[in-house]
Amino acid sequence: EETIFSPQISRMRAWGLLADLNQYEAWHPHYRFGPCVIELGNKIDMTWSVMGKHASLEAKIVAHQKPDSIRWRTRTFPLFSIEEGYELFENETGLHVRHSFECTGFLGLWARLIVQGLRRQMREQDASFMALAKRAVRAVPPPNRHKRRAANVTKGKEKGDG
C-alpha cells in the first residue's frame, strides 16, 4: 500500500523528522522505537500498536539516504515480514512524501483483506506527521531584524543621552 502527502516544510526538515525514529513517540500514533543510532543496517527495537494490542518487534534499517528515504523491515517468519518507509521527492508543486507499507507472509494475506483499514491507518499516520510539520514551522521564531537594529542604535547611549 502507498499514500502520498505534501508537508509545507523543507525537504531537509521533513527528512530529519521522518528519519529520527527515536522521536516517533512524540507524533506517531502506532510506533515506538527504542534508542538506537539510526544508520543503514542497524537493528532497533520497535513496538507496534495495532487494534489495541502492542507487538514488540525488531526492525532493521534497510534504507537511510539523506534527504531521500528512510525505510525499515521487521520479520517474524513464517508469520509475516513488514517493510515500511518514507521517500521524499519534489516537483513543480513542491515537496511530497511517499509512505509505503508492504506486508508479506501469512499475515500479508490477511493485510490484503483489510486493505481499507490499512489505508486508513496510513492516512492517520500521515496526518500525524503533517501536524508535527505544522508545529515545527510554528516553533521557528520569526526573524527579529528590527529588534536587533533597535538594540544596536540604543546600545551606545547613556542614560543622560537623548
Side-chain angles (χ1 to χ4, degrees):
E1 288 306 305
E2 181 178 287
T3 61
I4 295 178
F5 58 97
S6 304
Q8 301 299 308
I9 58 177
S10 74
R11 183 180 189 144
M12 287 300 293
R13 181 73 177 209
W15 186 85
L17 293 170
L18 289 167
D20 190 357
L21 301 181
N22 295 316
Q23 292 300 313
Y24 271 43
E25 185 174 335
W27 67 272
H28 200 285
H30 304 109
Y31 299 152
R32 301 296 176 261
F33 290 94
C36 175
V37 175
I38 310 300
E39 290 181 355
L40 186 62
N42 280 4
K43 294 182 178 176
I44 185 170
D45 291 329
M46 171 185 180
T47 302
W48 181 21
S49 298
V50 59
M51 294 188 283
K53 305 289 182 196
H54 300 289
S56 294
L57 306 165
E58 183 178 75
K60 180 179 181 181
I61 309 300
V62 295
H64 188 263
Q65 298 170 336
K66 185 178 185 176
D68 297 322
S69 65
I70 179 72
R71 177 172 288 290
W72 56 89
R73 180 183 306 132
T74 62
R75 291 184 176 170
T76 60
F77 288 109
L79 283 180
F80 69 90
S81 173
I82 293 173
E83 187 164 319
E84 184 169 12
Y86 298 92
E87 295 174 51
L88 291 82
F89 64 96
E90 293 179 271
N91 62 22
E92 62 279 350
T93 62
L95 174 66
H96 308 284
V97 178
R98 179 179 294 115
H99 177 193
S100 61
F101 181 96
E102 183 180 354
C103 186
T104 58
F106 293 130
L107 291 182
L109 297 172
W110 175 72
R112 288 185 190 104
L113 296 174
I114 59 161
V115 71
Q116 288 299 95
L118 181 59
R119 283 188 189 142
R120 185 177 56 251
Q121 181 174 320
M122 290 175 72
R123 283 193 303 270
E124 182 182 342
Q125 294 167 359
D126 299 346
S128 293
F129 180 80
M130 293 290 284
L132 173 73
K134 196 176 284 189
R135 287 191 308 271
V137 168
R138 288 184 190 148
V140 175
N144 61 353
R145 185 178 59 118
H146 298 292
K147 289 180 183 177
R148 280 195 303 252
R149 189 178 310 146
N152 288 337
V153 170
T154 60
K155 199 175 197 178
K157 291 187 177 184
E158 297 285 329
K159 281 187 176 180
D161 291 347

